[in-house]
Amino acid sequence: MKRGEIYEGTVERVDYPNKGIVRVRDEEEQVIVKNVIPGQKVRFVINKSKAGRKEGRLLEVTEKSPSEADRTLCSAFPDCGGCIYQTMSYPDQLEMKAGQIKRLLDSASDHPYEFEGIAKSPDRFGYRNKMEYSFGDDRPGGPLTLGLHRKASTYDVLTCTDCVIVHPDFNVIVDAVLRCFAENPLPYFHKIRHEGYLRHLLLRRSASYGDILVHIVTTGDKEYEKQFDEEAFRDMILELEKSGRLSGHISGIMHIINDSLADIVRSDETRILFGKDYFMEKVLGLDFKVSSFSFFQTNTRGAEVLYDTARNYIGDTRDKNVFDLYSGTGTIAQILAPACRKVTGVEIVEETVESARYNAKLNGLTNCDFIAGDVLKVLDDLTDKPDFIVLDPPRDGIHPKALPKIIDYKVDNIVYISCKATSLARDLKVLQEGGYRLVRAKCIDLFPDSQHVETVVLLRGEKVDSYVSIDLDVKELDRKKVKR
Ligand code: SAH
């Protein structure tokens, strides 16, 4: 099999998160083809061949998989890369994701452990409580679009007003905002030329109360600003609720000015055009204030299943000091607080830490302490010692230099919640070298139709005498087997 040659084969399995393993009849070798479904017959071209590892680019699905359900798909499928498994039946998606994570953990774990399968998302559709849409076009010079990026494209934006994973209210709002700017044209912000006005539409919705936050994000261009009628925009959004087109209600409308060159949603200035820039969410009986930019799990009901699983893995924390590292709005910390001595949360985003403190007060919890800062640095300054550690890092996992510091606390048990299992598998190797072993693992599907899945694991220390030294060089850690 050589580069540039075209083959046809059957997808034997898909490894996490989207690596299809395709076998070609009469050929010994397997080829990795991304964005396919187990059981599909596919035609692909070999585009990489290195050290016995071959990769192919999908050209065509020649035969559907038996897993593919007959259902109405959203109009942006498959060009939008958001839901690559949208054609697959939900039970098959769950089985595939559980198998992917089990294979990853099996190869990373040096001990037998209990794999407890996967929990489904309580809401199969419309589960997302937050979405960031971009303004753009779907071809150079085309009409204004508002939606998600075309798969593997930095520039093309596809309008999507029938997305099945966001709350249906979002589709109504996207459609209305797009119409509004079709009638009152304003240019989108061009990422190369750095000119234009409209950047993003950020929508958030409380699953518990139906409160909706609408954020229109623009540049600060003074000329275009004169043409943007903030009041008319506000009234247009409020009219959606008045006319009964939304099931929730508009809680806040914000105009965010963002002049940064990076393609991220952030604020240089926030103008509240209506209401307030936060809403309340209820999770496992506790109240949480969620502000425009603070982290909150995007599938609220799914997050309850996740936190409940984590609580079950954590077990009895009576009289214990718990560290909740990467604590976000303090959800896990506050779920644990009533049943332990003290919880210390560490979170890098200041605004999120403020929300966590506010939430703890709101819930009448006095034994939570939230520290703003990088886990890597904060651990050096903390005088408290934990009896239990909960880790819930972002997608990249834990900084390699923070891991030895965590190991050095020598707590008996650690619960690690991961939104990217390959990062978990990498960190697990270091934790194992530090004397921990994997005991239990369970997946929770917070993201039906997409390639993502959450994993919760329980790790137990082996009570070794010497752990990894705190100031151990990371490269050294890679090279040397750590002395136990
Ligand atoms: N446990 C929380 C949040 C988990 S998401 C919840 O379930 O709601 C991961 C969080 O880690 C995010 O809030 C992110 O802002 C934070 N974070 C990312 N890098 C960090 C770092 N180096 N130190 C501390 N917090 C960090």
Side-chain angles (χ1 to χ4, degrees), residues 93 115 141 147 152 205 217 236 280 322 344 361 379 388 440 483:
Q93 287 183 32
F115 183 77
R205 187 182 188 280
V217 186
M236 179 276 294
M280 301 308 297
V322 179
T344 306
K361 215 178 250 175
L379 292 186
F388 196 102
R440 297 168 78 179
K483 234 177 80 198

Side-chain angles (χ1 to χ4, degrees), residues 274-290:
F274 172 78
K276 50 193 180 0
D277 61 350
Y278 66 88
F279 59 63
M280 301 308 297
E281 188 72 285
K282 214 174 192 61
V283 172
L284 295 176
L286 294 172
D287 288 312
F288 293 94
K289 174 184 169 183
V290 181

